Amino acid sequence: MRSIWTGSIKFGTIFIPIRLYAASGNLHMGFHLVHKTDCGRVHYKKVCEKDGKELKRDEIAKAIDIAGECIQFTDDEIKNLHPFSTRTMEILGFCNFEEIPMISLGKSYYIGTENPKKGDSGQSFHLLKEVMGKLDDVAVVKWVQRNNEYIGVLKTHEDGFLLKQLLYFEQVRSAEEVEIIKSEVDPELVDKALQVAKNMKLDFDWTEYFETYNQQLMELIGKKAAGDEIIPEIKPPETRSLQKELDKMLAIMEEE
């Protein structure tokens, strides 16, 4: 697995060399753009707005406009512009994981030692792991990646750590912005719906769930390739009688 970030966890005055790895992969299928007449791939050209010339990679530089002047930078110069903090993941403190709002949880990452081939280089890594195991808390951290500063929670996981990126409070929209129509519900319907829900209780096993959308998408693409017509799915009917639907579900559950 290729690491996506290399730096150090800052635990007080201790710097722990680490590597960051994406904990998830992409299951989604992507379509590309083509020319309708000959199916040639469509690419985006990089064109100078002044002379209309298409540019090669080595003709392009990064720049910032300051007081009307274009200041260009090389990749090495931009790299050196980053402060030392961009290479550190600072531990701000420790807290109980239950204190972290569910709505703030974002992407997951694995954290490993900076050089897995050197067995003695991970002493500080395992020191932090043992300390956190005894605390039974998570560490609140901040770090910079791709010119963006993130906050997250670090928790022990198997042989290493799992990092959960957090949304900033200001990123989360208020639930008050969501339109919800007020309505009274008949207590008899609530009782019947509760019976249905109780019959649907399960022992959740994460390993039993698989992504099926792309498999269905491939089947439709196969039909298209075979010359078959792709028929749009029928929109599910609107439930007009909650009473009838609940009675129907309870009857089916009693038969099973």
Side-chain angles (χ1 to χ4, degrees):
M1 193 187 308
R2 180 181 295 179
S3 63
I4 60 173
W5 187 85
T6 302
S8 297
I9 293 175
K10 185 175 181 288
F11 174 33
T13 57
I14 298 172
F15 287 86
I16 305 167
I18 62 160
R19 289 181 179 180
L20 192 67
Y21 303 83
S24 60
N26 187 7
L27 294 176
H28 304 295
M29 180 184 300
F31 292 87
H32 51 257
L33 301 177
V34 298
H35 187 190
K36 284 184 177 181
T37 59
D38 57 14
C39 221
R41 290 287 291 269
V42 175
H43 299 280
Y44 293 101
K45 295 181 178 180
K46 297 184 183 298
V47 177
C48 175
E49 65 176 12
K50 291 188 175 180
D51 60 16
K53 179 185 175 183
E54 183 180 352
L55 304 177
K56 298 177 182 178
R57 183 185 294 271
D58 61 2
E59 295 179 291
I60 300 173
K62 294 179 180 177
I64 293 177
D65 290 331
I66 300 177
E69 185 178 357
C70 176
I71 310 297
Q72 296 187 20
F73 294 87
T74 65
D75 288 340
D76 286 339
E77 286 174 331
I78 291 175
K79 186 176 181 180
N80 292 331
L81 282 174
H82 294 171
F84 177 71
S85 62
T86 63
R87 296 177 179 85
T88 61
M89 182 179 291
E90 183 179 0
I91 294 179
L92 305 177
F94 299 89
C95 71
N96 194 288
F97 187 65
E98 280 65 38
E99 297 178 55
I100 308 298
M102 180 73 75
I103 196 170
S104 71
L105 296 177
K107 293 181 180 179
S108 298
Y109 301 91
Y110 293 127
I111 287 185
T113 50
E114 195 277 336
N115 192 335
K117 295 180 181 178
K118 296 181 180 179
D120 59 350
S121 68
Q123 187 175 10
S124 56
F125 183 92
H126 291 288
L127 170 67
L128 178 61
K129 182 173 170 57
E130 288 196 28
V131 167
M132 288 181 61
K134 291 181 182 298
L135 280 177
D136 197 25
D137 279 343
V138 295
V140 179
V141 300
K142 71 173 181 179
W143 78 103
V144 175
Q145 183 180 341
R146 297 192 183 97
N147 298 323
N148 290 305
E149 185 176 70
Y150 298 100
I151 55 171
V153 287
L154 187 67
K155 60 184 301 184
T156 58
H157 180 76
E158 298 185 1
D159 292 335
F161 295 96
L162 182 69
L163 173 68
K164 289 290 293 184
Q165 180 186 324
L166 299 180
L167 297 172
Y168 286 103
F169 176 76
E170 61 190 323
Q171 283 183 274
V172 180
R173 294 174 176 173
S174 170
E176 295 177 0
E177 298 178 26
V178 180
E179 182 182 359
I180 298 177
I181 301 171
K182 294 183 178 181
S183 177
E184 296 292 331
V185 182
D186 187 333
E188 183 182 346
L189 293 179
V190 174
D191 290 339
K192 288 187 176 183
L194 186 58
Q195 290 180 55
V196 171
K198 285 180 177 178
N199 280 317
M200 294 175 66
K201 285 198 69 172
L202 52 77
D203 295 320
F204 180 74
D205 183 354
W206 188 36
T207 63
E208 292 182 353
Y209 293 84
F210 300 93
E211 199 275 346
T212 59
Y213 168 76
N214 277 284
Q215 181 180 344
Q216 296 169 350
L217 186 59
M218 283 301 298
E219 290 174 0
L220 289 173
I221 290 172
K223 288 182 178 179
K224 169 75 172 176
D228 296 337
E229 181 183 1
I230 299 178
I231 302 172
E233 289 188 1
I234 300 173
K235 186 179 180 181
E238 182 182 350
T239 301
R240 299 193 177 278
S241 173
L242 292 172
Q243 182 80 44
K244 287 182 179 179
E245 294 303 321
L246 288 169
D247 288 340
K248 186 195 302 181
M249 285 189 285
L250 287 171
I252 292 171
M253 288 174 175
E254 287 176 4
E255 291 175 2
E256 293 177 345

